[in-house]
Amino acid sequence: MVKKTQNEEIEMAILELLQNKIRSMSIRELTNELEKDFKIKRSPQIIKRHLKSLIEKGDIREIK
């Protein structure tokens, strides 16, 4: 069973990180930057889930 939890702290850190970057980032890069800058250690799958949530809310847009 997958435990889906929304953590606003992670989403705010992702938004702050992406606002300070000029280029697009991969999920692996985001995971590494969150661990280094914000001391948030989560798996890439969790980061991807939060990114999808932010895309659905309209806070960020996905580049394909």
Side-chain angles (χ1 to χ4, degrees), residues 7-63:
N7 189 342
E8 295 295 323
E9 178 186 352
I10 294 174
E11 289 183 3
M12 295 306 290
I14 290 172
L15 283 175
E16 184 177 334
L17 186 63
L18 290 175
Q19 287 175 352
N20 294 331
K21 299 293 180 180
I22 297 173
R23 60 181 176 80
S24 60
M25 299 177 74
S26 69
I27 293 175
R28 173 60 64 196
E29 290 173 325
L30 273 172
T31 304
N32 291 337
E33 289 289 323
L34 285 171
E35 186 175 345
K36 184 177 75 172
D37 295 343
F38 296 95
K39 307 296 187 249
I40 297 175
K41 185 171 174 116
R42 297 290 188 269
S43 70
Q45 293 84 5
I46 292 174
I47 302 302
K48 185 175 181 178
R49 187 179 314 135
H50 285 286
L51 282 171
K52 285 183 179 182
S53 172
L54 289 169
I55 290 169
E56 289 173 359
K57 291 178 185 176
D59 293 335
I60 59 174
R61 63 184 176 101
E62 182 178 19
I63 300 174

